[in-house]
Amino acid sequence: MTTTATRFDGQVLTPGDAGYDTARTVWNAMIDRRPRMIVRAAGVADVVAAVRLARELDLEIGVRCGGHNAAGFAVPDGGLMIDLTPMGGVRVDPARRRAWVQGGALLGALDRATQAYGMATTAGNVSHTGVGGLTLGGGMGWLARQYGLACDNVVSYTVVTAEGDVVTASRTDNPDLFWGLRGGGGNFGIVTEFEFQLHHTGTRTLVAEFDFRAEDAVPVIEGWRDLNAVAPRQATFTASVGSAPAGPIATLGFVWVGDPAEGRRLLPAMRALGRPVASRVTTPSYLELQQREDSTGGHAYRRYAKGHYLRSFPTAAIEAFLLRGGSDLSASLHLPSVGLQAHGGAIADVPEADAAFSHRGTMFEFGAGSRWTDPAEDDARMSAARAAGASLEPYASGIYVNSLTADELADGQRGVRRAYSAAKLARLIAVKTAYDPANVFHLNQNIRPAQNIRPAL
């Protein structure tokens, strides 16, 4: 193949073209990179041609779906960006309880297509997130405690490999690749279609939130933690701490997917934890629930976050959670918001060896995140988020691979080793070596092949 012979059904953008700047803009305004070429793929053939062209020209490959990765892996400076967003279709077979989702689809498209039949599958909490990036890292969402992670609900993947071949990965076809794609990220190829198992979820939910002054919150969070341990699987417990004019506020509660009347049975136990300064109990539809954390104008924000998995949440960790990396509860300048989301249930039912995804014994996932618009605040905001993350690190058991930051990944393989056990990392390296020995797909939370022909950045 020659470069002059390459033809694409989709759009090809280069610097100066109309739409080029929009296509290279992702969810973190700190990312300002300029690919040599952006291929807005219209179908699998375009993805194949783009991979082969990038290899011919020795260009780094970045793959864009939702563009939510804060490190901006989708946008290779001087490289070839494969933009999957035109491939955003979702097809549903309600009788078979299956959905076929193209690699560029957003979670909102999946939710809308499946909720038309009162069905859903585990997806994240923000509708404009890409299905691909979320699922390949594991995929936590409000249904995970009932039905497992997003990756646990994938029946098969259609994948374009580093050689430009199109293969299927399932439990029977290329099972080693199937295992690696279930939590191993974008290391092994470009997924152009996911086949998901669907579940009869209905369309109704309940959200309960109770606000407490942070200075009063330690015993309340202890009770909330203990209640979580015995909660039904329809409930996903959540907690957050943020700044407010009168001082930091801790918000505790749960999200219930199913009949709201059943979810209300948890309310007396929640109310018995303490006297809140405010409370909210709402019954959004499932589609409304999936959109309630959406951010408008999000591409204008600069973003940084740190995360951990926690197998337990002792009182000392609760106190650190409330401080958010600050020295006392009165501190507020540049402190990040922090949050917890409960795991357990069906997530922990899956045998640890069944998929690349790790840390199935997690009790809570912790996150500390900041967003801002002034570049002059970059250092202060990132330092504050790092401090919040460091304060919980003594209690951490690992990290969600999708939460790894660019600085953690720049430090050799330390970050990746936090995401996977030694045994799983060895198996992931074997899969990587088999399917991408030259490390063509290295703009990700990179797992290096056994003999890394091309250095990972």
Side-chain angles (χ1 to χ4, degrees), residues 424-447:
K424 284 199 178 183
L425 186 55
R427 186 171 175 183
L428 284 163
I429 290 170
V431 178
K432 178 72 170 181
T433 304
Y435 287 91
D436 186 14
N439 207 11
V440 171
F441 301 118
H442 62 268
L443 292 180
N444 46 42
Q445 297 86 351
N446 194 228
I447 295 162

Side-chain angles (χ1 to χ4, degrees), residues 343-408:
H343 281 226
I347 303 170
D349 288 346
V350 177
E352 186 68 39
D354 194 59
F357 182 85
S358 300
H359 306 293
R360 289 187 180 271
T362 294
M363 175 186 289
F364 296 115
E365 182 181 354
F366 163 82
S370 285
R371 68 179 194 182
W372 65 100
T373 57
D374 185 356
E377 296 182 9
D378 286 358
D379 289 344
R381 293 283 191 171
M382 290 190 290
S383 294
R386 290 182 185 123
S391 71
L392 268 293
E393 192 160 356
Y395 314 100
S397 56
I399 190 170
Y400 181 29
V401 69
N402 282 350
S403 296
L404 284 169
T405 59
D407 45 2
E408 288 172 311

Side-chain angles (χ1 to χ4, degrees), residues 195-212:
E195 179 186 357
F196 283 100
Q197 171 74 50
L198 299 179
H199 307 276
H200 289 286
T201 59
T203 61
R204 304 169 69 195
T205 76
L206 180 142
V207 178
E209 299 171 308
F210 300 84
D211 297 340
F212 298 87

Side-chain angles (χ1 to χ4, degrees), residues 27-30 68 70 126 128 292-306 334-338 368-375 377-378 380-382 384-385:
W27 203 244
N28 183 355
M30 288 195 290
H68 274 244
V126 175
H128 43 68
R292 72 193 293 265
E293 296 184 24
D294 287 4
S295 174
T296 58
H299 292 75
Y301 289 110
R302 309 171 79 80
R303 298 176 185 271
Y304 188 83
K306 300 289 284 188
H334 299 319
L335 289 187
S337 297
V338 297
S370 285
R371 68 179 194 182
W372 65 100
T373 57
D374 185 356
E377 296 182 9
D378 286 358
R381 293 283 191 171
M382 290 190 290

Side-chain angles (χ1 to χ4, degrees), residues 254-347:
F254 63 89
V255 171
W256 179 279
V257 180
D259 184 351
E262 295 181 14
R264 289 182 184 277
R265 296 174 186 170
L266 272 177
L267 294 178
M270 287 293 302
R271 291 186 172 118
L273 297 177
R275 180 173 295 178
V277 296
S279 64
R280 297 164 298 282
V281 177
T282 59
T283 55
S285 70
Y286 182 77
L287 287 178
E288 290 169 339
L289 171 69
Q290 289 291 87
Q291 297 168 15
R292 72 193 293 265
E293 296 184 24
D294 287 4
S295 174
T296 58
H299 292 75
Y301 289 110
R302 309 171 79 80
R303 298 176 185 271
Y304 188 83
K306 300 289 284 188
H308 298 298
Y309 281 143
L310 308 174
R311 292 182 70 91
S312 62
F313 198 44
T315 299
I318 293 172
E319 292 169 345
F321 176 69
L322 290 167
L323 286 171
R324 295 181 288 159
S327 57
D328 59 69
L329 288 176
S330 64
S332 62
L333 184 64
H334 299 319
L335 289 187
S337 297
V338 297
L340 297 170
Q341 185 167 343
H343 281 226
I347 303 170

Side-chain angles (χ1 to χ4, degrees), residues 7-14 17 37-40 53:
R7 296 291 182 269
F8 294 98
D9 293 325
Q11 189 178 21
V12 178
L13 301 173
T14 56
D17 288 344
M37 179 187 305
I38 299 173
V39 175
R40 304 197 70 237
L53 178 61

